[in-house]
Amino acid sequence: MSRDNAPHDDADLRTRLIHAGSPGLRDGAGPVNVPVVRTSTVRFADSDAQHRLQARRGAGDRVATYGRHGLDTHQALEEAITTLEGGYRTLLAPSGLSAITLVLLALLKPGEHALVSDSVYAPVRKVDRVLLAQHGITVEYFTPGRDALPELIRDTTRLLYLESPGSLLYEVLDLPALVAQAHARDVLVATDNTWGAGLYYRPLALGADISIQAATKYLAGHSDVMMGSVTAASADVFDRLAAVHDALGLSVGADDAYLTLRGIRTLDVRLARHQVNATEVAHYLAQHPDVVQVYYPPLPQDPGHALWRRDFSGANGLLTFSFAQIDPRAAGAFVDALKYFSIGASWGGYESLALEAAPERLGEHASWRGGRSAVRLHIGLEHPADLIADLERAFEAVRERLKRSA
């Protein structure tokens, strides 16, 4: 489902993703995939070589003088993600949340202020409470599209942190407009790009300074890796991030880097199937008498549909729906009755998942009207007819349960 006017909808990116980070040939031959290079220690031929490489690293060159810096496998993955995001360079982190934390710590100092969209991944608020607030950094949450951003920017504001679509309810933001307003006041813009996975949404091309992904999700794609990535649009922003990345001692295992790189090779075909399946399920839910609202930007009735059509070239498998009946037990009863959908807090793998949307997290979104149970679904690669039949059985189980307890 390509968007006619999407700024990044080119076949060339899909081709380059297959080859980005591929190993070169030696003596006329070589493997298709980059080898898994594991080490804690980097050896040097002599002292001069050690000093030369350390000087190059100090000057910003992508060379390793210690295992934590990452060797061939890590560098190949960084190159592939940089190609995907269309940025300058990429840093790897042990998880999506650690990638987010890296950005916040690298760009904010005591006494400074950040503006954060209220629909962000909920653990960002925990980083704020547990870490940033204790270091004298002020975080203010706002609702893009309702609150006037220029009026919220202070003299101490250094970062605008966004997520589009938002977590749980998938609010789509007008990123180019927000970037223009932030840059007019010399405020950097970082955005969580896990939903679009870089393939269907490229925020750096829309003006953002930093794009963050939980590579745990669609990049790795098989529910067996924890990883995050941070891609900077420019050298100066990258250098600030890299200094803190090094100071924090962040590193990822070579095996996880290999698995994530392998996942990127099939990202295009996997996301396309997730979208086809999720769109079919979303239309089924939108017409269901037990559903009052479906949150999925590709649906024409979704509030963010027009912006999604303008800025995105596709969609993933995530959607949320709320029940027509006002009963707090509905969501729990629904997910308990499912067969093909496992109960799980992550997403982005090949399997379908269901999760009761926590009311306290929904309440953090200004767009949430409240009062009803909601379920988040990740639509996997199973046949959509089987998933829809499973959902229908769960709706019937909820009706029976509520009838018995009435």
Side-chain angles (χ1 to χ4, degrees), residues 144-145 162 164 172-181 201 307 310-311:
L162 308 169
S164 182
V172 183
L173 308 184
D174 190 343
L175 182 60
L178 293 169
V179 166
Q181 293 167 359
Y201 190 51
L307 286 173
R310 187 191 72 183
D311 293 342

Side-chain angles (χ1 to χ4, degrees), residues 134-311:
Q134 293 185 16
H135 287 80
I137 296 168
T138 303
V139 176
E140 182 179 355
Y141 300 91
F142 76 108
T143 304
R146 186 196 68 181
D147 301 332
L149 178 62
E151 297 176 8
L152 299 175
I153 296 176
R154 309 175 187 176
D155 292 340
T156 56
T157 304
R158 297 292 179 267
L159 179 66
L160 174 64
Y161 182 87
L162 308 169
E163 183 175 343
S164 182
S167 182
L168 288 179
L169 300 179
Y170 317 117
E171 301 93 332
V172 183
L173 308 184
D174 190 343
L175 182 60
L178 293 169
V179 166
Q181 293 167 359
H183 284 178
R185 298 283 296 276
D186 295 323
V187 174
L188 292 173
V189 180
T191 184
D192 187 323
N193 191 26
T194 307
W195 192 97
L199 186 64
Y200 288 163
Y201 190 51
R202 303 187 85 199
L204 300 184
L206 297 174
D209 302 288
I210 298 165
S211 182
I212 304 163
Q213 287 200 54
T216 303
K217 307 298 197 285
Y218 282 117
L219 297 193
H222 292 78
S223 301
D224 54 6
V225 170
M226 296 294 295
M227 189 175 298
S229 68
V230 179
T231 303
S234 63
D236 57 336
V237 173
F238 176 83
D239 289 344
R240 293 175 64 183
L241 294 167
V244 176
H245 183 274
D246 190 51
L248 290 173
L250 297 180
S251 65
V252 303
D255 295 275
D256 286 344
Y258 175 87
L259 289 172
T260 304
L261 183 61
R262 187 174 68 173
I264 286 176
R265 305 305 188 203
T266 62
L267 179 64
D268 183 18
V269 293
R270 286 187 290 106
L271 271 181
R273 176 53 58 183
H274 282 294
Q275 176 177 276
V276 167
N277 288 0
T279 300
E280 189 167 339
V281 171
H283 282 294
Y284 154 77
L285 291 170
Q287 299 170 15
H288 200 284
D290 293 344
V291 173
V292 71
Q293 188 167 353
V294 180
Y295 301 87
Y296 190 57
L299 291 177
Q301 64 269 34
D302 188 275
H305 181 71
L307 286 173
W308 174 78
R309 285 191 62 87
R310 187 191 72 183
D311 293 342

